Amino acid sequence: MTGAPTRPDAAGRFGPYGGRYVPEALIAALDELTAAYEKAMTDDAFQAEFHRLLRDYAGRPSMLYDAERFSEAVGARVLLKREDLNHTGAHKINNVIGQALLARRMGKTRVIAETGAGQHGVATATAAALFGLECLVYMGEVDTERQSLNVARMRLLGASVVPVTSGSRTLKDAMNEAFRDWVTNVDTTHYVIGSVGGPHPFPAMVRDFASVIGTEARAQCLELMQRLPDAVVACVGGGSNAMGIFHAFVPDESVALHGFEAGGDGIETGRHAATLTGGSPGVLHGARSYVLQDEDGQTKESHSISAGLDYPGVGPEHAWLHDIGRATYASVTDAEAMEAFRLLCRTEGIIPAIETAHALAGAQRVASQLGPDSVILVNLSGRGDKDVATAGRWFGVLDQ
Amino acid sequence: MNAATARDVTSSGEVYRTARAEGRAALVGYLPAGFPSYDGCVAALLAMVAAGVDVVEIGLPYSDPVLDGPTIQVAAEQALRNGTRTVDVLRTVEAVARTGAAVLVMTYWNPVLQFGVERFATALRDAGGCGLITPDLIPDEAADWLSAAESADLDRVFLVAPSSSDERIRQTTAECRGWVYAASTMGVTGARAQTSAIAPALVERVRSATDLPVGVGLGVSNGSQAAEIASYADGVIVGSAFVRQVLEADSENAGAAAAGRLAAELAEGVRRQH
Ligand SMILES: Cc1ncc(COP(=O)(O)O)c(C=O)c1O
């Protein structure tokens, strides 16, 4: 489909989604951020510094890897966009470098972040160390346990990590705490939101900083094959790695876009985090989008083996791409994701993040639909070091 | 719903005018519906009204209250664990509005959106409520609510903050009806030892934008703080301090009595001459 707008309107809306459902106290900061971001997007000095850091510090461009043995196993040609090889091990660093540069331009001395898997927290702690900013990361208590490696990394980098004990003690509650901190300390503090959710301008801004993934991958595909892929596949938590790789392909009608959400124990069990597949339109964390909620609009707890996908909301641009049919969303269960995790380990010698394993399982499904002559581009959003304890338990490979 | 007809709903503007005529500030008191239980909440609110609360704010307990500090979070969680539904909030409104107090609901936006904005406005009016306070809905996003409020003849109370520009204060107060809620500090709800030094300046800025009464809240917990705020504002808003009385009490009866005692102290505070 053509004509999918890729910029939100002046009120920050993608169709009916997006906007600013936040306390008035934050509006001045959001206006300041919008102005700084809009200026930066057309400012050569900002762009030069952003791209210099992406190259020299984060290690861009990330490689596009023709995964032959994985391809053979799934029955289509699969190209992996290796975001796992970025500094800090995931796609999150792209957005964080952009926002840290903006924070510095706005004269903020402190950054805060929410994190689920810990990859966004690690990226934020890293950029804070690099720029000499104070850093505090909110993380649900459940996630500090299942992603303890990343808690240690953040603390080694000089950040404070605050375990959040309210609600479901996962990403949603970490985000609540971060908003409370921001309302209180907005004068000195920039809130580095880690995905394409939250109030305007975050969804478009985070998408823009992450879109280097798809811009590179599109050019790499053309160079490698002189053609575009048939499908682009990514996992969807809040949706930043997916928007990052989708964005450059949205105008390419021949390219199907597939997002895979966390199906947990299965949609039918109610224990999942598949917001677009199993939720309905509502407001959460500053934006109108899809939400997992009950009849009264109370947010439901999400469930997933993957801390980074265990979230009952999703970015508003995905809600829009879903409604207009430009992208297709489906869910992958914990068990399917872990099978794909094992397959990538064994066929390619790459241990992916469990979040990313949902995209790999999705790619298997798309491969069986498109057949052996098709080309599928997968965003390999992160590496799996943080997940070895969970995966080791799942597969029973740890000695007692 | 039979207690209230459109005729006998007390509006918050009316209450503010009466207080002004008496040379004092209005006292605005908050509790979340369903906390500590449905009955316990109604009992505490009735005790508060009897002891001098003029305007009642009934909180709609919500799973993700990003503008609330720990005290109100705990109360809202307890209310939700008790099974409090949106319809129970409306029942609470009805029970309290019977006393003739002006009753508003304070709510995050998603529960209203899911109930249906127009349907909620009608149900609130039928229950005898006079309007809504919307902590995460700014007028820019409120087109549906403004038109529903207009049809149902309801007050809409939006917040202004110390960080609001004069221009935004002008725009926001232009969409308010009844009164304006001035958040006295940057931060979440919660009783504070000291009242804010920036609140008087904010109230001044609001007054140069509108003739509506201005209530000041976030952090008030005792009679002398109430008296201090009453010296420059039209209303004194107290939330977390009431919640704490109920939280710390041994029984629901004791909680209602303690909330009533605090209301009496605050009611004396808003009447102090300065
Ligand atoms: C490796 C990896 N992939 C994906 C995600 C999910 O986030 P998003 O949907 O914003 O890309 C995370 C989040 O922590 C992550 O660490």
Side-chain angles (χ1 to χ4, degrees), chain B residues 103-256:
Chain B
V103 181
L104 297 116
V105 169
M106 178 146 184
T107 181
Y108 292 91
W109 195 238
N110 198 45
V112 179
L113 203 56
Q114 301 308 321
F115 197 89
V117 178
E118 250 176 67
R119 182 173 160 234
F120 190 90
T122 310
L124 178 60
R125 166 74 12 184
D126 287 348
C130 69
L132 279 188
I133 304 170
T134 50
D136 67 348
L137 186 74
I138 55 174
D140 321 48
E141 303 284 1
D144 291 354
W145 160 232
L146 290 171
S147 76
E150 201 53 46
S151 331
D153 190 26
L154 290 168
D155 292 338
R156 45 267 177 185
V157 178
F158 294 105
L159 277 67
V160 296
S163 60
S164 305
S165 66
D166 290 342
E167 175 62 11
R168 274 204 71 81
I169 289 178
R170 202 185 51 70
Q171 290 168 355
T172 301
T173 56
E175 302 298 348
C176 287
R177 199 191 88 173
W179 52 291
V180 180
Y181 190 126
S184 67
T185 49
M186 294 298 287
V188 296
T189 55
R192 292 175 175 81
Q194 239 125 57
T195 51
S196 149
I198 45 180
L202 176 60
V203 171
E204 257 336 286
R205 293 201 294 137
V206 176
R207 290 204 194 288
S208 59
T210 180
D211 292 332
L212 287 171
V214 191
V216 170
L218 294 193
V220 183
S221 63
N222 61 43
S224 38
Q225 288 175 336
E228 187 191 325
I229 289 174
S231 71
Y232 61 86
D234 306 299
V236 178
I237 308 165
V238 182
S240 298
F242 281 119
V243 170
R244 216 168 47 194
Q245 297 300 319
V246 176
L247 265 180
E248 288 171 1
D250 294 335
S251 68
E252 290 191 357
N253 283 342

Side-chain angles (χ1 to χ4, degrees), chain A residues 284-301:
Chain A
L284 177 66
H285 290 150
R288 189 194 281 247
S289 185
Y290 279 63
V291 182
L292 294 180
Q293 57 188 330
D294 72 12
E295 242 185 287
D296 279 2
Q298 306 289 348
T299 313
K300 283 196 210 163
E301 283 189 17

Side-chain angles (χ1 to χ4, degrees), chain A residues 11 13 19-28 31 166-167 172-173 176-177 179-180 183-184 186 281-285 288 293 295-299, chain B residues 60-68 73 77 80 84-86 109-111 113-114 135-138 141 144 159-161 163-164 168 172 186-188:
Chain A
R13 287 191 185 271
R20 284 181 173 175
Y21 295 85
V22 292
E24 167 64 24
L26 292 177
I27 296 299
D31 283 344
S166 54
K172 159 180 97 74
D173 310 284
N176 288 342
E177 260 336 293
F179 270 111
R180 291 180 187 120
V183 165
T184 310
V186 66
V283 167
L284 177 66
H285 290 150
R288 189 194 281 247
Q293 57 188 330
E295 242 185 287
D296 279 2
Q298 306 289 348
T299 313
Chain B
L60 193 157
Y62 176 54
S63 52
D64 296 277
V66 296
L67 198 61
D68 285 306
Q73 284 177 49
E77 271 176 33
L80 290 174
T84 304
R85 305 279 314 259
T86 301
W109 195 238
N110 198 45
L113 203 56
Q114 301 308 321
D136 67 348
L137 186 74
I138 55 174
E141 303 284 1
D144 291 354
L159 277 67
V160 296
S163 60
S164 305
R168 274 204 71 81
T172 301
M186 294 298 287
V188 296

Side-chain angles (χ1 to χ4, degrees), chain A residues 89-92 115-120 194-196 235-242 307-309 353 355-356 381-383 386:
Chain A
H91 69 288
K92 300 281 185 189
T115 199
Q119 288 301 126
H120 175 62
S195 194
V196 288
C235 65
V236 178
S240 65
N241 88 91
L309 305 183
E355 290 75 21
T356 312
S381 59
R383 70 182 188 220
K386 68 186 179 60

Side-chain angles (χ1 to χ4, degrees), chain B residues 17-42:
Chain B
R17 272 191 300 281
T18 308
R20 194 178 274 180
E22 292 172 14
R24 63 171 180 96
L27 177 59
V28 184
Y30 165 95
L31 272 188
F35 165 77
S37 65
Y38 174 80
D39 290 333
C41 177
V42 170

